[in-house]
Amino acid sequence: MSDIENRNTASPIQGEGIRGDGQAKWYVVHTYSGHENKVKVNIEKMVENRGMQDLILDIIVPTEDRVEIKDGKRKIRTRKMFPSYVIIKMIVTNESWYLVRNTQGVTGFVGHGSDPIPLTDEEVARMGIEKVYIDLDVEVGDTVRVISGPFEGFTGEVLEISPEKQILTVKVSMFGRDTPVELEFSQVDKQL
């Protein structure tokens, strides 16, 4: 079972009916199979027609490119990462919930009954939906510990920092040699 399907078992949003906290969050909407792009287009049209751009901010059908080799030829195929699901960044109000829920091809929000459950920041980052900018408090010369990826468990000295790209170059000692490696901010933790 996928992460998205498991979300149906999470606890519902507390409170009466559908009430937004004023914060835009990512929600998962279940659609009929093969209707993901139609749902995206239909919601975008209704949002524009009703002037609801301040409530429904973004609609994504996550895809990934796969290289397939067929008859000795390489072909790049784009496939949906989560078939039958559309991910929407929105502020939940009665009006925005109603618009999405009653779009042709939508079977409902992922959540309990009429209470959609937002994705957590970790889920958003893991799915690659939205780049989460990390303010990493390190300087050139600091020691960091690698907390994820192929160099997990290593420590190293920061050589370069690129805040706009969210990447830093770290000198890691491997096999008795110092080797510079590029790491994302999310892959390191400052060593105290």
Side-chain angles (χ1 to χ4, degrees), residues 18-25 27 54-55 57 89-93:
I18 304 296
R19 297 287 184 270
D21 62 0
Q23 302 259 338
K25 294 185 180 146
Y27 294 89
D54 57 332
L55 295 176
L57 309 174
K89 186 170 189 174
M90 63 186 282
I91 298 170
V92 176
T93 63

Side-chain angles (χ1 to χ4, degrees), residues 31 59 81 85 104 109 179 185:
T31 68
I59 305 162
M81 291 171 62
Y85 292 98
Q104 187 175 356
F109 280 93
T179 307
F185 281 14

